[in-house]
Amino acid sequence: MKLFIKTYGCQMNVRDSEALAGLMTAAGAELVNSEAEADVMIFNTCSVRDQAERKAIGKITFMKKYKKLKPELIIGVIGCMAQHRGQELLEKIEHLDFALGTGQLHRLEEVIEYVRKERKKAAWLEEGSDVLESMGMHSDFQNKRLHTGSIAITRGCNRFCSYCIVPYVRGREFSRQAEDIVAEAEMLAAKGVKEIMLLGQNVAAYGCGGNVNPPPEDESPFGDLLQQIARIDGIKRIRYTSPYPTFFTQKLIDIIAAEPKICRNVHLPVQSGSAEVLARMNRQYTPERYLEIVQRLKSAVGELTFSTDVIVGFPGETDADFACTRDLMNEVGFDHAFIFKYSPRAGAKSALWQDDVPQEVKEERNQILLADLEKRSIAGNLACVGRTLEVMVDGVSARNPARWSGRTSTARTVVFKYKDGMRPGDLIQIPIERAGRVTLFGPGLIGADEEL
């Protein structure tokens, strides 16, 4: 079997595709890089954003030409869009053979064999927690950074934010057993992985049994897990995404501060700086509470960078609400942000409300926040000039093959000259001589073309 996998959407989808690649190669499949070579095509899809969904449907529809050339070709859709619209897609797209939901991904080989033998369409969309313990496989296919690895520690979400369909397409929140996660991290370390990324819809709620309320301030199962992974020889850095703000208990903050392997960059989704908008979003914190958590992190950890997710133009968002968001973002000092213009998603609570902010106003607000973000990013980079920073080597720069690049613990990108013996995953000290809009530069580099 020659298998082609195309992935859309978030890091969780990327990790799912990698796990499935490992699962299927262990079963004897051969992974290929192009649709034309494939006997089986898998499209791992996202339904959280309308654009990702439209792109995936367009791509799957275009695959009809290959089905005509090779009638025995099997085409399947998996992931969030399959969970959300699987039966509908099978009915609308004649050449689509199966839809496999997020709770059934571990049954990929089984559904392929079913379609092959029965020559019938299949929609396997049941929810289930078995997938959680069956997706620990890894594959180096298409992995450009062999010194890095990702581990999904939770699946699903119990938050039910009014704009979001994740709980409906990824199911309820489940946490893996700590010993299984640690064993997976040890296996990756033995393969040469130096940096681990822990993944979950609300990664900081790991081990809380799906409780939407955070644990007491002196508890943090996620913090305990971080400590266990930090003890693994060979692991030099630990990153994680995405945590819900209120799960940063004092214990978790203290563990982050005390463990240098835990990276000094926190992706902390805020969504809005307006109390009224946050309440309509069903985000269970106020702007004041959010800022308090940020301040506690800054006070305990010291040098720390923050990134976030923000929605502009949410139903009912006024100019005053937007001003609150802008003020909060500037107060926190985010170095990076994913800024989205609100669009209703079928199945989410807010889709029933009037989308009353004009598109041109959404665009204007989006551009204002992007301009603010660029100013902060440049200022943050300029503040690094003259310092010597620890950088994990990633390898040859994507922009200039004569240079190498890497990242700091605070997630800043650094470009530098290669030195004999340097390898991806090494931690090196780089004096910063110059700063660009998104990049820092080591000694002896000149010219605008160095910018990544």
Side-chain angles (χ1 to χ4, degrees):
M1 178 197 307
K2 293 185 177 180
L3 178 66
F4 172 82
I5 302 177
K6 173 70 174 176
T7 308
Y8 299 86
C10 68
Q11 287 175 289
M12 290 291 289
N13 272 16
V14 173
R15 172 67 194 113
D16 284 345
S17 290
E18 185 202 14
L20 290 172
L23 197 69
M24 294 302 293
T25 52
E30 176 189 351
L31 300 176
V32 296
N33 282 307
S34 72
E35 298 98 328
E37 300 176 75
D39 301 319
V40 178
M41 296 182 187
I42 305 296
F43 295 90
N44 191 358
T45 59
C46 174
S47 219
V48 175
R49 303 291 172 194
D50 180 62
Q51 184 178 13
E53 192 169 282
R54 285 188 284 107
K55 284 176 63 176
I57 291 174
K59 182 72 171 180
I60 295 168
T61 302
F62 186 67
M63 293 302 100
K64 184 176 182 179
K65 68 173 187 177
Y66 290 106
K67 194 83 162 185
K68 287 183 176 179
L69 295 172
K70 190 188 297 186
E72 69 277 12
L73 174 68
I74 295 175
I75 303 175
V77 58
I78 67 174
C80 294
M81 189 173 72
Q83 188 69 48
H84 190 218
R85 301 176 58 186
Q87 193 65 56
E88 171 197 347
L89 292 172
L90 287 174
E91 293 170 3
K92 287 186 174 180
I93 303 177
E94 181 182 358
H95 57 279
L96 185 64
D97 293 298
F98 69 85
L100 196 65
T102 53
Q104 301 295 316
L105 294 181
H106 58 297
R107 300 179 66 192
L108 177 60
E109 182 185 7
E110 186 181 348
V111 75
I112 290 171
E113 287 306 307
Y114 173 84
V115 172
R116 192 191 305 278
K117 290 178 181 179
E118 302 295 330
R119 305 313 300 178
K120 294 179 181 179
K121 295 195 175 198
W124 295 3
L125 307 175
E126 300 84 0
E127 290 189 14
S129 60
D130 289 349
V131 65
L132 197 63
E133 305 302 334
S134 305
M135 295 286 286
M137 301 292 286
H138 288 262
S139 170
D140 292 338
F141 187 73
Q142 294 184 330
N143 184 3
K144 298 179 181 179
R145 292 180 173 178
L146 297 179
H147 61 289
T148 66
S150 298
I151 300 176
I153 67 171
T154 71
R155 291 188 79 86
C157 183
N158 289 353
R159 304 305 315 182
F160 290 94
C161 300
S162 63
Y163 53 82
C164 185
I165 62 171
V166 166
Y168 308 103
V169 297
R170 282 206 168 257
R172 299 301 179 265
E173 189 175 282
F174 296 99
S175 294
R176 293 177 61 188
Q177 295 296 317
E179 54 266 30
D180 291 338
I181 297 169
V182 172
E184 188 173 336
E186 290 173 339
M187 179 270 291
L188 290 174
K191 290 176 60 178
V193 168
K194 307 299 182 186
E195 180 179 290
I196 296 284
M197 171 69 86
L198 302 178
L199 298 174
Q201 251 65 47
N202 177 9
V203 71
Y206 170 80
C208 292
N211 195 335
V212 296
N213 298 311
E217 287 294 331
D218 60 351
E219 295 180 15
S220 175
F222 179 58
D224 295 337
L225 180 65
L226 288 173
Q227 285 185 314
Q228 292 184 65
I229 295 175
R231 296 190 192 109
I232 299 173
D233 290 338
I235 299 301
K236 298 179 180 179
R237 283 186 177 173
I238 305 169
R239 299 186 187 274
Y240 52 90
T241 196
S242 292
Y244 196 81
T246 56
F247 281 77
F248 275 88
T249 63
Q250 191 58 50
K251 180 176 180 179
L252 176 55
I253 292 171
D254 290 343
I255 288 172
I256 293 171
E259 179 48 67
K261 287 186 179 182
I262 302 173
C263 286
R264 275 27 186 172
N265 171 255
V266 179
H267 184 73
L268 198 63
V270 65
Q271 306 302 355
S272 175
S274 161
E276 289 76 15
V277 173
L278 286 173
R280 291 200 299 278
M281 288 179 167
N282 195 32
R283 301 289 288 182
Q284 296 174 350
Y285 53 83
T286 63
E288 292 77 16
R289 173 66 172 142
Y290 183 93
L291 290 169
E292 177 202 344
I293 293 165
V294 168
Q295 189 54 53
R296 286 166 62 193
L297 278 160
K298 288 181 176 180
S299 297
V301 181
E303 183 173 11
L304 193 65
T305 59
F306 289 90
S307 56
T308 197
D309 299 331
V310 174
I311 297 173
V312 295
F314 190 74
E317 183 187 67
T318 65
D319 289 342
D321 292 327
F322 173 70
C324 289
T325 298
R326 189 180 184 188
D327 289 345
L328 183 145
M329 293 185 72
N330 284 321
E331 183 172 347
V332 175
F334 294 109
D335 291 86
H336 187 73
F338 297 96
I339 303 169
F340 301 100
K341 292 169 284 187
Y342 173 78
S343 60
R345 304 300 294 128
K349 183 177 180 180
S350 67
L352 302 174
W353 305 340
Q354 183 180 359
D355 185 11
D356 56 357
V357 179
Q359 190 63 30
E360 58 269 23
V361 174
K362 295 178 185 178
E363 182 62 35
E364 179 185 14
R365 291 173 181 173
N366 182 64
Q367 291 303 315
I368 289 171
L369 294 187
L370 287 173
D372 288 348
L373 181 65
E374 183 172 20
K375 291 177 183 176
R376 289 194 305 269
S377 179
I378 292 172
N381 278 350
L382 287 172
C384 295
V385 175
R387 299 176 57 195
T388 296
L389 303 179
E390 184 179 74
V391 175
M392 177 170 281
V393 177
D394 282 333
V396 176
S397 167
R399 179 70 178 268
N400 186 341
R403 309 299 186 213
W404 278 43
S405 67
R407 288 186 300 166
T408 66
S409 178
T410 56
R412 298 190 191 280
T413 299
V414 182
V415 172
F416 46 87
K417 289 182 177 180
Y418 171 79
K419 291 184 179 180
D420 289 342
M422 191 179 287
R423 297 177 303 174
D426 287 348
L427 290 177
I428 60 175
Q429 301 293 318
I430 299 291
I432 305 301
E433 290 194 350
R434 187 165 60 88
R437 184 173 58 87
V438 296
T439 310
L440 301 174
F441 301 94
L445 301 183
I446 58 173
D449 65 329
E450 302 291 352
E451 184 81 60
L452 288 181

